[in-house]
Amino acid sequence: MNEESIKTALIAGQEKELCDLVKGELSNEESPKSILDTMMAGMNIVGSRFQAKEIFIPEVLFSARAMTSATNILKPLLTKSDVQPLGKVVIGTVLGDLHDIGKNVVGMMLEGAGFEVLNLGRDVAPERFIEAAKENGASIIGLSSLITTSMPQMKRTIELLEEAGLRDQVHVIVGGAPVTQDYANSIGADGYADEATGAVQKVKELLHLEQ
Amino acid sequence: MSNRLLSALGGDSPLVLDGAMGTMLQQLGLGLGECPELWNIKHPDRIREVHKGYLKAGADIIVTNTFGASPKKLAMFGIEEKTEEINRAGAILACEARNLAGKDKTAFIFGGIGPTGELLEPLGAASASDLHQHFKRQTEALVSGGVDAVIVETMLSPEEALIAAGAAKAVDAKLPVFVNLTFDPTPHGPRTMMGTSPADFVVMIENQKIDLQGVGTNCGTGARDMLRVVESYRAKTKLPIVAYPNAGFPKMVNEQTVYDQTPDEFATEAEKLFDAGASIIGGCCGTTPEHIRHLKKKLVQRSPGPIGGGHV
């Protein structure tokens, strides 16, 4: 397999090129799973460049979009064990907050790393996070807040999770421009990151998936 | 009116812009998830009071409570049809506050225009022509309410910022228009979320040939990190530079957000923005009339500007 070409097309966000390369590999009878793994390794590079602030939101979105398209080609060919997600994550922006972009980037990076992500959107009530985690058997809830007045909703969600008796089964990670590690600690969140790649690392850490 | 503004900008003295609106409204009872701009209709007295507070503190410029009043943003609250009413009321309330403060001849009203929260094609679903129409609608209502200028603020996408600026100019080519981006510090200098540097933005403005009356930055950081932004702009453009930083960084104390700079600390840091070349200086998140009062005190001592000072 031409791993370098696949990674290069993915990092450059070249959707059509990447899909063509993937189809080519498939016709060479390359295993769908190893193609997927190569793309994930590529997304990993995108993540570290984003973290180092060498690339920014547009580049990440283009890479994520290319990866999604190429993954759709592979999906029908992957076996059940191939697509076993690393874990299930429910994400959303908390009640009273209409910001969307940063949380979506976190979702894409998590998907790129092999997680199943259920994105509840913005202005999400604490109860909905709990219900969604319960219904889908998610082990992580990711809460985003971009305005200081909506931050207490993060705490409220954690409290509700406790009341529902699920606090031991579900980890809560928090993020967003005004959110800090101190704040995360003060509300009893399990993890905080100041950007999307850090969020993926945090989730892996919490689920003991660190390589 | 705009002539008075342009001659004030051409002088050596810095102009002081007001401080935060949102945090003031929260103190006055704005609830979680409530549309702050709807208060222009629901609680006009409170909006007028906030403006008056800043004018009394010495602000030369007050920004209308219309940051999130683009039709696209109001649609998220299901009140897009109130676009005209909310923006017009926002402008009128600021004008009334100026009159009540006895500053009709000295203070200026800037109509505030913020981001729609959507990504432009091809990154997102919003089209440039669609956003142009939305910003045009907002500007028309602000102008009908009597603003002296428009300030496009807290923008993360330089493309969206310039669409808003272009839309404002399309309403009235003579309307003074200012445009601010929000930058984060990175190891490679200040960058927006989209990766734009202040120098990149100046090039974009020049390429698009939009006749801006000022370029600048607000929010995102405190004054210390903002210094680099102002310096980068100053190295690349002769346009007046606008800068209004946050009052340091937010902290949660008893479930309340507190910004960590006192009025005096804020003013001391913000004064350096003047030395770096900014000529319109104010406050963003976490600033209060006290912050602006301290800033004004510092900047009045600097007027007229120092000979051979930071200004080109």
Side-chain angles (χ1 to χ4, degrees):
Chain A
M1 175 166 46
N2 194 340
E3 293 188 13
E4 281 317 302
S5 306
I6 289 182
K7 284 186 199 163
T8 305
L10 178 77
I11 292 166
Q14 294 166 325
E15 186 172 346
K16 190 178 173 302
E17 286 80 350
L18 181 67
C19 290
D20 289 345
L21 284 167
V22 166
K23 285 176 196 159
E25 296 295 347
L26 287 171
S27 60
N28 289 339
E29 303 199 348
E30 190 60 64
S31 96
K33 173 71 172 132
S34 55
I35 300 173
L36 186 65
D37 288 343
T38 303
M39 290 201 295
M40 280 185 186
M43 269 318 271
N44 219 352
I45 298 172
V46 171
S48 26
R49 290 189 183 170
F50 180 64
Q51 195 168 34
K53 300 190 178 179
E54 290 165 8
I55 60 170
F56 296 87
I57 299 276
E59 292 86 350
V60 173
L61 292 182
F62 283 125
S63 291
R65 188 176 298 173
M67 170 122 185
T68 305
S69 284
T71 308
N72 284 339
I73 299 171
L74 296 176
K75 260 185 191 158
L77 307 167
L78 291 163
T79 65
K80 234 184 180 169
S81 64
D82 286 342
V83 289
Q84 193 63 39
L86 291 179
K88 289 185 185 176
V89 186
V90 168
I91 62 166
T93 307
V94 299
L95 189 68
D97 198 325
L98 299 172
H99 293 84
D100 225 6
I101 300 170
K103 174 257 308 165
N104 289 348
V105 173
V106 171
M108 287 175 199
M109 296 297 250
L110 282 166
E111 277 175 354
F115 291 91
E116 185 180 322
V117 177
L118 182 64
N119 188 340
L120 300 180
R122 49 194 177 195
D123 196 18
V124 180
E127 296 78 12
R128 277 195 56 217
F129 281 108
I130 315 294
E131 283 162 22
K134 227 196 280 186
E135 282 168 18
N136 296 279
S139 46
I140 303 269
I141 293 178
L143 303 172
S144 169
S145 163
L146 271 293
I147 43 176
T148 51
T149 44
S150 73
M151 283 164 66
Q153 294 301 315
M154 294 179 152
K155 189 178 176 202
R156 182 75 196 120
T157 307
I158 293 174
E159 286 166 358
L160 269 185
L161 201 58
E162 266 162 26
E163 287 166 26
L166 292 171
R167 190 67 190 92
D168 303 344
Q169 297 153 49
V170 183
H171 301 285
V172 178
I173 58 166
V174 296
V179 182
T180 60
Q181 181 69 57
D182 281 350
Y183 180 70
N185 296 344
S186 77
I187 61 169
D190 303 302
Y192 159 81
D194 65 358
E195 47 73 50
T197 311
V200 175
Q201 285 159 354
K202 189 53 77 178
V203 169
K204 286 186 174 172
E205 222 174 276
L206 289 169
L207 299 180
H208 306 290
L209 295 169
E210 272 309 77
Q211 304 89 335
Chain B
M1 184 60 75
S2 70
N3 284 341
R4 185 164 65 80
L5 173 60
L6 297 181
S7 67
L9 269 174
D12 291 326
S13 311
L15 294 175
V16 174
L17 187 134
D18 63 4
M21 172 64 76
T23 36
M24 299 297 288
L25 297 187
Q26 283 153 27
Q27 283 171 19
L28 294 171
L30 182 76
L32 176 71
E34 204 179 336
C35 172
E37 290 77 17
L38 192 56
W39 273 29
N40 292 347
I41 302 170
K42 269 170 73 183
H43 300 293
D45 48 327
R46 297 183 198 172
I47 305 297
R48 234 184 265 118
E49 279 311 302
V50 174
H51 285 319
K52 262 169 65 188
Y54 281 121
L55 287 164
K56 282 187 187 156
D60 305 301
I61 297 167
I62 54 173
V63 181
T64 58
N65 179 39
T66 53
F67 176 78
S70 65
K72 258 209 164 15
K73 202 77 193 269
L74 291 177
M76 294 181 194
F77 293 96
I79 51 172
E80 182 183 343
E81 79 285 355
K82 292 194 192 297
T83 300
E84 281 70 25
E85 194 186 353
I86 287 174
N87 283 287
R88 193 177 148 80
I92 289 172
L93 289 171
C95 292
E96 286 172 357
R98 173 171 66 182
N99 179 265
L100 290 168
K103 291 196 162 185
D104 278 345
K105 293 212 158 54
T106 51
F108 303 99
I109 314 288
F110 280 20
I113 294 182
T116 58
E118 292 192 24
L119 289 172
L120 271 161
E121 289 173 341
L123 286 177
S127 77
S129 59
D130 191 25
L131 287 195
H132 178 89
Q133 289 308 324
H134 277 261
F135 287 128
K136 212 174 142 194
R137 224 177 122 187
Q138 183 177 12
T139 307
E140 275 163 357
L142 287 168
V143 168
S144 81
V147 297
D148 300 311
V150 153
I151 187 153
V152 177
E153 51 179 5
T154 330
M155 284 283 177
L156 303 170
S157 152
E159 289 86 6
E160 184 179 357
L162 293 182
I163 289 170
K169 286 288 181 182
V171 171
D172 177 359
K174 287 197 177 125
L175 181 69
V177 174
F178 300 79
V179 179
N180 286 350
L181 297 182
T182 298
F183 295 92
D184 289 325
T186 83
H188 329 288
R191 295 286 186 278
T192 68
M193 193 170 88
M194 301 301 176
T196 317
S197 70
D200 296 336
F201 190 46
V202 170
V203 170
M204 288 178 71
I205 292 168
E206 287 167 357
N207 287 345
Q208 295 198 21
K209 298 190 170 57
I210 300 178
D211 175 29
L212 295 180
Q213 279 57 57
V215 64
T217 181
N218 69 285
C219 207
T221 66
R224 197 170 302 174
D225 285 322
M226 201 169 268
L227 210 51
R228 286 286 306 277
V229 180
V230 173
E231 287 165 356
S232 306
Y233 272 136
R234 188 73 299 158
K236 295 286 175 190
T237 181
K238 290 192 158 64
L239 283 174
I241 295 172
V242 184
Y244 40 107
N246 295 341
F249 291 94
K251 283 189 309 194
M252 292 298 277
V253 179
N254 300 327
E255 305 232 341
Q256 295 278 330
T257 314
V258 184
Y259 279 76
D260 62 0
Q261 276 183 337
T262 64
D264 188 52
E265 287 164 354
F266 170 80
T268 303
E269 290 287 335
E271 185 187 6
K272 295 176 187 156
L273 297 169
F274 173 69
D275 294 321
S279 47
I280 296 181
I281 305 169
C284 203
C285 302
T287 56
T288 65
E290 264 318 287
H291 290 79
I292 298 306
R293 196 187 317 279
H294 280 74
L295 177 63
K296 177 79 171 188
K297 225 191 283 169
K298 297 260 188 215
L299 291 179
V300 160
Q301 291 164 7
R302 304 296 302 269
S303 307
I307 297 161
H311 290 250
V312 176

